[in-house]
Amino acid sequence: MGFLSKFFPDGNARVIKSLKKDVERMNAFEDVLKALSDDALKEKTAEFRTRLASGEKLETMLNEAFAVCREAARRTLGQRHYDVQLMGGLMLHKGGIAEMRTGEGKTLTATVAVYANALVGKGVHLITVNDYLAKRDAAWMGRVFHFLGLTVGCIQHESGYVFDSNFRAPEQTQEEKEANAEKSGYKVQMDFLRPGSRKDAYAADITYGTNNEFGFDYLRDNMAQTAEAMVQRGLHFAIVDEVDSILIDEARTPLIISAPAEESSDTYYRFAEIAKSLVKDEDYNIDEKLRTSTYTEKGLQKIEAALGVSNLYETGLANIHHAEQALRAQALFTNDKEYVVRNGEVVIVDEFTGRMMEGRRYSDGLHQAIEAKEGVKIQRESKTLATITFQNYFRLYTKLSGMTGTAVTEAEEFAKIYNLDVTQIPTHRDNKRNDLSDKIFRNEQGKWMAVVREVKERHEKGQPVLIGTVSIDKNQLLSKALTAAGIQHKMLNAKNHEQEAEIIAQAGRRGAVTLATNMAGRGVDILLGGNPQDADEAKAVRELGGLLVIGTERHESRRIDNQLRGRAGRQGDPGETQFFVSLDDDLMRIFGSDRIKSMMKSLGIPDDEAIVSSMVTRSLEKAQQRVEGHHFDTRKHVLQYDDVLNKHRLAVYTERRGLVTGERADAHEEVMRMIEAEVERVVHFHTTIDTHAVPKEFAEGEAEGDWNPKEMVETFNTIVTLSEEEKIGLYACIPELSKDKEKLLNDRTRLIEETLSIVRARVVKATEDFGDEEKVRRLERSLLLRSIDGAWMRHLDDMTYLRRTIGLQGYAQRDPLVEYKKESFRLYAALREDIAKEVVYNVIKMLSQAFAAQKFLSSAPDLLKQAAKMFGGQNGASGQSGSMGG
């Protein structure tokens, strides 16, 4: 619906009209519910669940459920949902995206959809962009759900919490109190969240957490060896807060769980030094639009001279790869922009949100190349154990929805990738924000001078100002200029993001100047007059025009600019926004019109004097649209390849989960099928002859083709250790060389059956030796799991290598994606074969070894007693035996 409304403007209006009718029905319940006692209102949850259990559909009780949740919020939080918030909640329930302006109360909006869907009992996940918001919202909104008899959990990095109305946060130490006193005073109540396990948090009706934590837990669950080690209980319904940030901005970097592989060599440092000596436009070229770098002929000659080789491309793929990644690290990745160096580690900075992406690393050796460039310790190379993109993780949910202040510009991507429609929800109060036209300057220095002048003027009046920058280095540069001008200000970027909430919450205070990167405290309200709000101060700030938001550069995405604008004009408050743009800005420099540049220069305008031109603004927006289209194509391209791997992932994970949870009761039958298939394969492979003509060697008893009875029997001997009698029996069953095809086939069948009868008998004996069939079945499941895990890791490596190299197919006029699908099908077949072979050639050995170990352990006390008699008497034996048992 939202996607269509982009082309048919009245489409959104029709949706809103329909939502309003539902809200009217909800409002009809209000007076009746207000008259209920607290206990009677709480009983509504049990009533709804009883009706669901009896077969009634959730849709028939939806309006009443929303009304109940609203009444509970009014009683517990003192906040009654506005009608527009109920409309937003309806869109979330329907599995769409609710675009609601900043300050419209998305956190409260979500509660009605969360409550209604939690009644089903399959769990609801509320996903936020950071741990702070997850914990804050669980403690805050958890009071509503607890009042209604639902359980609430919260997952954090390596920890979990469960909502408990009786729990109180520990008292702060004196040092903590003094440290907090130095902050802005903004403190969120963290009572009610009792520490618990992640499994407890997921077992709750409602679970809050971040996208990273949910995604990593999914991967870890699919690596677990026991059902007890798994924490998630299914992916039923998810509401994604700041959905554009999570499903689009962060979607380009997959989640990867890896383990250290071999130690990294000094090769990275060597190539980093060579790359630093190269000169741009002489030794290498950069395409800034495509963000690619390539060596020139002269650059290659410099590398070859430094390495002491005549031709880099004859030294092997490893050196070529190192050279390419060293150049990328040097030419395309900048400290305090794409990454920061913190505590001796290179940490990625999300280019859209400005937040540090803890635990995430660039792949294919690029991260190591950047570490070498910065001279920090190179982390060990890693081996991928499990990986998934956010696109494919979130598409696993039965129902998915999201909310944000900025989604309509990406409506096409949401519709095509996630099947999510965007609906623009009206504001509760009319928007009074004044979005001023862009100011354009000849160069960056003039722009900074104008920004400082504007901020100083507004600051002296007492009007609060929020300034947005596109990177950390620009953030720090402007901070120095403000300090030099004597303007006191707070600075917020990825280097101090821990104080994000405290800093941004006070951006609306009288005279406040806040300098922030793109993160701009999403999820935290900027209240005029501070937070908590001072009524008198808020009134004074409104009279001054409200919050002024200054953008110091147009971002590649219009959505990011809109997010920054959205910080002003909350809930009908006054506010202003304006962007300051220069011809030196990346967007203007790379994508701007040459006509605009020449016009600006020919007018002879001073550096710090601006022009306001609708033509320039339109040109910038067109450039942004082109870049957005390019990024969408890139994400779609990545997803097309990952979709292929995702089919393999789902098949393997489904099989694996069945083994871990015990849902698959046919593990033994699967092992026996694998053995039968391998025996048949071996027989057919080693008894293949040309039945159409008798070779000259036939009369002399020599073989033709793959006829090799001895090797066949030895192969069977590796599956199950054969006695001499069994070997003789198998040799007697081996088909004779014959032109009679029917006789050959009959003999083959007899040989297969004879071999399988030996294997089956050995499995039966191993089971009888154990005396515990269930233990044998557990061992078989364990072997299947081990084989799947090992083969899957190798498969991930193979698929990664295939993805890197498949682009070369384009030179042969073949579609790389088509060739990738063909080759991945072959690799998946090889994966299944690898799993089967490992199981077949190890199952009998494993059972035999396990039985021998069991036999040894059962006799260990007697052996220890004998040893004790030899070395010191019976008393010592008793003590040793106890030690062994421990």
Side-chain angles (χ1 to χ4, degrees):
M1 290 176 288
F3 176 56
L4 289 175
S5 68
K6 184 178 178 182
F7 302 100
F8 305 101
D10 60 342
N12 196 83
R14 284 198 298 271
V15 175
I16 296 302
K17 186 177 180 181
S18 172
L19 294 176
K20 283 180 177 178
K21 289 180 180 177
D22 284 318
V23 171
E24 287 172 6
R25 298 185 188 102
M26 294 171 192
N27 289 337
F29 288 99
E30 188 163 21
D31 290 340
V32 175
L33 294 175
K34 276 185 176 179
L36 295 179
S37 66
D38 284 356
D39 289 339
L41 186 64
K42 292 175 184 178
E43 283 299 316
K44 280 291 181 180
T45 299
E47 177 193 319
F48 290 142
R49 285 185 156 168
T50 301
R51 289 162 64 182
L52 285 168
S54 65
E56 188 175 343
K57 299 294 183 184
L58 179 60
E59 298 301 321
T60 63
M61 62 187 81
L62 189 67
N63 292 332
E64 187 179 3
F66 270 47
V68 166
C69 185
R70 175 167 64 178
E71 179 60 22
R74 189 183 68 81
R75 297 188 189 190
T76 55
L77 305 177
Q79 297 181 355
R80 176 189 177 276
H81 293 72
Y82 301 133
D83 285 359
V84 292
Q85 289 175 315
L86 294 179
M87 291 161 62
L90 273 169
M91 285 312 305
L92 296 178
H93 166 74
K94 292 174 184 292
I97 292 175
E99 180 180 279
M100 302 176 69
R101 284 185 181 270
T102 301
E104 288 297 303
K106 289 186 284 291
T107 306
L108 185 63
T109 293
T111 56
V112 285
V114 169
Y115 171 69
N117 285 271
L119 294 170
V120 179
K122 295 182 179 179
V124 175
H125 293 169
L126 199 297
I127 296 156
T128 66
V129 292
N130 60 41
D131 279 344
Y132 161 77
L133 290 175
K135 201 171 180 183
R136 182 202 72 175
D137 294 352
W140 185 13
M141 298 298 140
R143 294 161 60 192
V144 179
F145 302 127
H146 176 75
F147 176 87
L148 291 170
L150 297 180
T151 55
V152 178
C154 176
I155 53 170
Q156 301 274 283
H157 188 55
E158 297 182 353
S159 63
Y161 296 88
V162 176
F163 187 94
D164 181 345
S165 60
N166 297 316
F167 179 81
R168 294 294 178 270
E171 283 291 322
Q172 291 183 329
T173 65
Q174 188 59 36
E175 290 181 357
E176 288 172 334
K177 287 179 180 178
E178 290 173 1
N180 285 329
E182 295 174 4
K183 294 181 181 179
S184 58
Y186 181 66
K187 184 176 182 296
V188 174
Q189 181 58 263
M190 288 303 180
D191 288 340
F192 314 132
L193 291 183
R194 173 172 49 79
S197 70
R198 295 176 87 82
K199 195 161 189 171
D200 291 337
Y202 278 113
D205 295 308
I206 301 147
T207 308
Y208 284 81
T210 66
N211 50 316
N212 284 345
E213 295 305 319
F214 281 109
F216 279 129
D217 280 339
Y218 169 76
L219 292 177
R220 282 190 285 262
D221 275 3
N222 284 288
M223 296 168 61
Q225 297 300 309
T226 62
E228 291 71 27
M230 299 169 74
V231 295
Q232 290 186 342
R233 61 181 177 122
L235 305 176
H236 172 58
F237 176 44
I239 295 178
V240 183
D241 191 12
E242 307 298 358
V243 66
D244 54 327
S245 177
I246 292 173
L247 295 192
I248 291 181
D249 297 340
E250 295 198 37
R252 288 188 292 178
T253 309
L255 292 172
I256 299 173
I257 292 180
S258 57
E262 69 279 359
E263 289 285 351
S264 294
S265 65
D266 291 334
T267 311
Y268 285 109
Y269 290 119
R270 187 181 183 190
F271 276 91
E273 287 304 313
I274 296 172
K276 286 177 184 177
S277 69
L278 302 179
V279 180
K280 181 184 174 183
D281 298 329
E282 183 179 312
D283 299 320
Y284 63 90
N285 296 314
I286 297 176
D287 187 326
E288 291 189 272
K289 290 186 180 181
L290 299 178
R291 280 191 61 78
T292 58
S293 55
T294 53
Y295 285 106
T296 62
E297 192 63 35
K298 188 174 181 181
L300 285 173
Q301 289 172 359
K302 280 189 179 180
I303 292 176
E304 288 164 350
L307 296 175
V309 299
S310 58
N311 188 337
L312 176 67
Y313 291 92
E314 291 180 354
T315 62
L317 288 173
N319 277 341
I320 298 169
H321 183 66
H322 277 296
E324 289 175 348
Q325 297 297 52
L327 178 61
R328 287 187 69 199
Q330 181 66 31
L332 301 176
F333 291 80
T334 308
N335 191 4
D336 285 345
K337 189 175 181 183
E338 284 80 17
Y339 64 89
V340 295
V341 178
R342 191 180 69 161
N343 300 327
E345 292 185 4
V346 171
V347 183
I348 300 173
V349 173
D350 187 292
E351 66 173 288
F352 291 99
T353 65
R355 292 187 175 94
M356 285 192 288
M357 302 170 78
E358 299 285 357
R360 309 273 282 277
R361 290 175 64 83
Y362 295 117
S363 58
D364 299 340
L366 176 59
H367 210 96
Q368 285 87 350
I370 295 173
E371 288 168 333
K373 166 192 169 184
E374 294 296 337
V376 301
K377 181 182 178 183
I378 295 177
Q379 302 296 318
R380 290 176 65 179
E381 295 275 13
S382 59
K383 184 177 182 65
T384 300
L385 304 180
T387 179
I388 193 170
T389 60
F390 278 127
Q391 289 104 321
N392 276 320
Y393 170 70
F394 282 108
R395 292 195 301 186
L396 292 170
Y397 280 90
T398 306
K399 184 164 71 172
L400 177 67
S401 64
M403 51 189 182
T404 180
T406 48
V408 74
T409 56
E410 313 294 342
E412 182 182 3
E413 183 164 354
F414 283 123
K416 289 184 175 179
I417 304 298
Y418 301 100
N419 197 29
L420 291 172
D421 288 324
V422 177
T423 300
Q424 292 176 292
I425 306 297
T427 55
H428 175 58
R429 294 192 176 97
D430 291 339
N431 180 29
K432 296 179 182 177
R433 190 183 73 215
N434 184 18
D435 295 329
L436 302 171
S437 299
D438 294 0
K439 288 186 175 181
I440 298 99
F441 299 84
R442 282 184 58 184
N443 56 43
E444 193 171 52
Q445 184 179 359
K447 179 181 71 174
W448 295 133
M449 291 166 62
V451 169
V452 171
R453 189 170 61 238
E454 182 77 21
V455 172
K456 188 176 181 66
E457 181 184 323
R458 302 295 185 109
H459 176 62
E460 287 173 351
K461 284 169 49 182
Q463 184 176 7
V465 181
L466 172 65
I467 312 164
T469 62
V470 296
S471 63
I472 298 171
D473 57 338
K474 299 285 177 68
N475 190 262
Q476 294 170 332
L477 187 153
L478 185 53
S479 177
K480 290 178 182 176
L482 291 172
T483 302
I487 303 172
Q488 288 190 340
H489 60 281
K490 293 279 188 181
M491 185 168 69
L492 172 62
N493 58 44
K495 290 188 173 181
N496 67 334
H497 70 104
E498 293 86 354
Q499 289 84 46
E500 178 179 342
E502 287 87 348
I503 292 173
I504 212 69
Q506 306 309 324
R509 294 191 71 89
R510 184 185 175 103
V513 177
T514 310
L515 180 57
T517 47
N518 289 328
M519 66 175 78
R522 291 183 72 174
V524 180
D525 265 352
I526 299 178
L527 303 182
L528 299 186
N531 195 337
Q533 193 175 52
D534 182 300
D536 292 333
E537 188 174 334
K539 182 181 177 182
V541 171
R542 288 191 187 96
E543 290 172 353
L544 290 167
L547 177 68
L548 169 66
V549 171
I550 293 177
T552 58
E553 193 169 328
R554 283 283 196 165
H555 196 273
E556 287 182 349
S557 169
R558 290 168 296 164
R559 183 168 43 82
I560 306 301
D561 291 344
N562 291 339
Q563 287 169 10
L564 186 60
R565 285 191 192 278
R567 306 308 297 170
R570 174 192 176 277
Q571 283 289 335
D573 283 337
E576 287 181 282
T577 69
Q578 186 159 53
F579 279 88
F580 286 61
V581 179
S582 84
L583 296 183
D584 293 336
D585 294 347
D586 288 345
L587 191 69
M588 285 290 286
R589 185 170 50 80
I590 301 170
F591 297 99
S593 164
D594 292 332
R595 191 156 57 95
I596 296 170
K597 297 174 184 177
S598 60
M599 179 190 73
M600 287 284 290
K601 289 173 183 175
S602 63
L603 289 175
I605 299 171
D607 289 351
D608 62 342
E609 193 172 312
I611 67 163
V612 177
S613 167
S614 58
M615 182 187 74
V616 175
T617 301
R618 285 197 302 271
S619 176
L620 278 170
E621 289 176 350
K622 286 180 181 177
Q624 288 175 311
Q625 288 174 348
R626 289 200 300 273
V627 178
E628 287 165 0
H630 171 70
H631 286 324
F632 175 32
D633 290 340
T634 300
R635 289 188 291 267
K636 188 167 67 174
H637 184 69
V638 169
L639 185 60
Q640 286 175 327
Y641 281 89
D642 192 63
D643 279 344
V644 178
L645 178 60
N646 196 49
K647 290 177 183 176
H648 303 177
R649 183 190 296 113
L650 289 176
V652 170
Y653 281 1
T654 300
E655 180 180 358
R656 196 185 183 286
R657 184 177 287 266
L659 290 169
V660 172
T661 60
E663 293 171 7
R664 278 195 62 182
D666 64 338
H668 174 67
E669 288 75 13
E670 178 66 16
V671 169
M672 297 311 298
R673 279 196 296 270
M674 289 176 173
I675 292 173
E676 289 168 9
E678 179 64 10
V679 168
E680 288 182 14
R681 189 193 70 80
V682 171
V683 169
H684 283 278
F685 181 79
H686 288 297
T687 59
T688 300
I689 61 171
D690 183 355
T691 57
H692 300 292
V694 179
K696 292 178 182 178
E697 296 86 353
F698 189 88
E700 301 169 15
E702 294 185 6
E704 164 73 6
D706 293 316
W707 188 273
N708 197 329
K710 183 177 181 182
E711 187 173 334
M712 180 171 58
V713 173
E714 288 305 314
T715 301
F716 292 150
N717 194 43
T718 60
I719 297 175
V720 52
T721 305
L722 300 169
S723 65
E724 286 304 315
E725 292 78 10
E726 287 169 333
K727 287 183 181 180
I728 292 170
L730 288 180
Y731 276 120
C733 295
I734 292 173
E736 296 179 359
L737 282 168
S738 171
K739 289 191 295 180
D740 187 341
K741 192 171 183 179
E742 185 176 348
K743 182 178 185 305
L744 175 63
L745 292 175
N746 289 335
D747 288 346
R748 277 177 170 174
T749 302
R750 189 161 60 94
L751 175 60
I752 290 168
E753 286 303 321
E754 183 65 25
T755 307
L756 288 176
S757 69
I758 295 172
V759 176
R760 291 185 186 114
R762 202 62 57 84
V763 172
V764 169
K765 184 177 185 307
T767 305
E768 290 173 350
D769 286 343
F770 267 101
D772 184 347
E773 184 174 350
E774 178 52 35
K775 190 171 185 178
V776 172
R777 299 297 169 256
R778 285 202 302 270
L779 285 168
E780 289 173 337
R781 284 199 298 270
S782 175
L783 176 59
L784 273 168
L785 275 176
R786 191 184 71 188
S787 303
I788 289 171
D789 289 348
W792 177 243
M793 282 189 285
R794 293 190 294 272
H795 184 67
L796 288 176
D797 287 342
D798 291 342
M799 291 292 285
T800 300
Y801 180 75
L802 174 64
R803 178 72 184 86
R804 284 182 197 165
T805 58
I806 201 68
L808 298 173
Q809 294 289 341
Y811 293 108
Q813 303 302 311
R814 298 192 188 104
D815 185 338
L817 181 59
V818 172
E819 297 302 315
Y820 180 79
K821 288 178 179 178
K822 287 180 183 176
E823 188 62 17
S824 67
F825 181 80
R826 186 192 66 78
L827 288 175
Y828 184 72
L831 163 73
R832 306 307 313 185
E833 191 175 316
D834 283 351
I835 293 170
K837 281 190 174 180
E838 184 162 345
V839 170
V840 169
Y841 289 95
N842 286 287
V843 62
I844 305 295
K845 295 185 185 71
M846 180 195 70
L847 293 175
S848 300
Q849 290 168 0
F851 174 65
Q854 179 176 271
K855 193 174 180 180
F856 172 78
L857 289 172
S858 65
S859 63
D862 294 333
L863 293 172
L864 288 168
K865 286 176 184 177
Q866 293 176 19
K869 287 179 181 178
M870 295 174 62
F871 299 104
Q874 185 66 36
N875 290 335
S878 176
Q880 285 282 7
S881 180
S883 174
M884 175 66 112

